[in-house]
Amino acid sequence: MKILATAAVVTFISFPACAEKVAFGCQLVTQYSEDQVGYLLSEARSVIGDHETNRIYGHYVSLRSACQYDGGATRVVNVPPALRDLLAQNGVDIRRFAARRM
C-alpha cells in the first residue's frame, strides 16, 4: 500500500505553535478506506506518538461522520513541520490534498 494513498489522513492532527493550518473536506475522506487510514496511522505512530495518533484518528472519524450528512463539511487542523517533513520524504505534498488557511 502506498503511503501517498493514505498520507493526507495523518494530517488530521492538532499541534501548537509553528504548525500550518490546513482545511480538509469530504473528498479526501471518501478517497481512502478505513484500512488505508489504519495503515498510515500505524506508520505515523513512531513519528508523532500515541497521543497525537489518537487525535488524528479522532479528527478523521469526526469528519467522516460529518460528511455523511453534509458533503461540504471540512475540518481545519494544524500540521506540524515534522509531519510535513515525513510526508514530503514520501513524496506527499499536503497542499495537493487540502486548502491552506491563515
Side-chain angles (χ1 to χ4, degrees):
M1 186 179 313
K2 291 182 180 179
I3 283 188
L4 176 60
T6 58
V9 178
V10 81
T11 59
F12 289 99
I13 187 171
S14 295
F15 274 48
C18 54
E20 176 180 0
K21 289 187 179 189
V22 182
F24 293 94
C26 296
Q27 182 180 4
L28 177 69
V29 171
T30 59
Q31 278 183 280
Y32 304 105
S33 71
E34 181 80 20
D35 289 340
Q36 290 172 312
V37 172
Y39 170 77
L40 180 63
L41 290 176
S42 69
E43 294 293 313
R45 189 173 302 280
S46 65
V47 175
I48 60 175
D50 290 337
H51 178 74
E52 295 304 329
T53 300
N54 293 338
R55 190 179 298 192
I56 291 168
Y57 187 70
H59 286 296
Y60 165 74
V61 170
S62 172
L63 181 58
R64 185 182 68 193
S65 177
C67 290
Q68 292 178 352
Y69 303 101
D70 177 7
T74 61
R75 296 292 183 271
V76 176
V77 295
N78 295 317
V79 180
L83 186 53
R84 277 196 317 267
D85 292 346
L86 173 67
L87 296 173
Q89 289 170 7
N90 288 285
V92 177
D93 179 2
I94 62 166
R95 283 169 253 150
R96 217 173 84 190
F97 296 103
R100 193 172 183 183
R101 299 287 181 173
M102 296 308 253

